[in-house]
Amino acid sequence: MAVLLLADVTNGALSTDSVAKTLTAVSSLGDVHVLVAGKGGDAAAAEAATLTGVTKVIFADDHGFCHAMAEPVAALVAGMASDYSHIVAPGTTDAKNIMPRVAALLDVMVISEVTAIIDADTFERPIYAGNAIQTVKSTDAKKVMTVRTAGFDAAPAGGSAPVETSSTAAETGKSEWIADKVASSDRPELTSAGVVVSGGRGVGSEDDFKLIEGLADKLGAAVGASRAAVDSGYAPNDWQVGQTGKVVAPDLYVAIGISGAIQHLAGMKDSKIIVAINKDEEAPIFQVADFGLVADLFDAVPELTSKL
């Protein structure tokens, strides 16, 4: 049987990176059909059809599916489940809201944050803040899962799958969309950036966090933060990297003033190259860093920024 991949769509635009990486993760399971839900998603459906490995795109053109409302989208997916052995989605905030509902409607388990697919029934996922890898074998007839995309390469464009429009109407749930309040930035999106510069409690204040932002802008990088920095009010919540924040795996991760608590390491230890700047030579971050600089960040960061 085939795989149904629920695409991540925001304001009619496809989140190409997350969808393409999820496609790579599940391509070994069989034909992959991508579901694009929401009126105005024509361009997203057309873009999904160009991804290599997609055999069909299903476009549910109904306004009720917009804004990834969990109740109608979950009902839509569950109603299509009979044709699929696996129902997957990238491990985004929206998918974490929708996929457990799908699993409940189908009376199966949900397998979250999959990092490797062994075979059609067996999957790997991190547990204990990433310190152990759990192998899960499911006997459910339908496998419902989210994929942690950070460790997969994005499937390239170059395909030409057909786009089929679904006439299924959205079911009205007990919730309704009122408004989205979204922070805008010219910097790359944190979870898909090739370079991330993060600051921790050691930065000291919201004003001093501009040092982190200045270095990030020189590198064309996204800005991240530890939970300690976010809780202290130095950085906004959507910059948080870690077990309770976002999981990233960029080509370069620069950790500044971050001690390296296990919860933070769980969100960035798969980065290709890790650079750490911290004045405490005993900081745990140096145990995972490829390059470590024991220095006061208030001396090192401005000098580094000026020389780039």
Side-chain angles (χ1 to χ4, degrees), residues 45-212:
E47 185 177 357
T50 67
L51 295 175
T52 301
V54 175
T55 55
K56 184 170 72 172
V57 175
I58 303 167
F59 176 36
D61 184 19
D62 189 293
H63 183 69
F65 300 126
C66 291
H67 310 293
M69 293 295 291
E71 292 165 329
V73 175
L76 170 68
V77 174
M80 300 170 62
S82 60
D83 295 330
Y84 301 96
S85 57
H86 296 76
I87 301 169
V88 303
T92 61
T93 303
D94 288 336
K96 290 174 182 177
N97 191 20
I98 294 168
M99 298 304 275
R101 290 174 178 267
V102 173
L105 290 170
L106 298 176
D107 195 24
V108 299
M109 70 184 292
V110 61
I111 307 170
S112 59
E113 299 290 301
V114 169
T115 54
I117 294 176
I118 308 302
D119 57 39
D121 300 320
T122 313
F123 315 93
E124 290 183 353
R125 60 185 300 273
I127 57 173
Y128 303 133
N131 283 293
I133 301 297
Q134 181 183 61
T135 301
V136 180
K137 187 177 181 69
S138 171
T139 57
D140 288 330
K142 307 290 181 186
K143 313 298 190 293
V144 177
M145 56 192 188
T146 61
V147 174
R148 179 178 286 190
T149 58
F152 296 97
D153 294 327
S160 56
V163 178
E164 174 185 298
T165 300
S166 170
S167 59
T168 304
E171 298 179 10
T172 303
K174 296 180 179 179
S175 305
E176 63 176 318
W177 175 83
I178 301 299
D180 288 335
K181 294 183 179 180
V182 182
S184 60
S185 173
D186 293 332
R187 299 189 181 103
E189 206 282 320
L190 183 57
T191 55
S192 60
V195 181
V196 174
V197 179
S198 285
R201 193 201 308 270
V203 177
S205 71
E206 183 178 3
D207 288 340
D208 288 331
F209 219 85
K210 290 181 172 57
L211 290 173
I212 307 301

Side-chain angles (χ1 to χ4, degrees), residues 257-259 276-286 293-297:
I258 295 175
S259 63
I277 301 174
N278 198 300
K279 65 181 180 181
D280 178 10
E281 62 183 25
E282 301 297 326
I285 191 71
F286 289 126
L293 176 61
V294 179
D296 188 323
L297 70 88

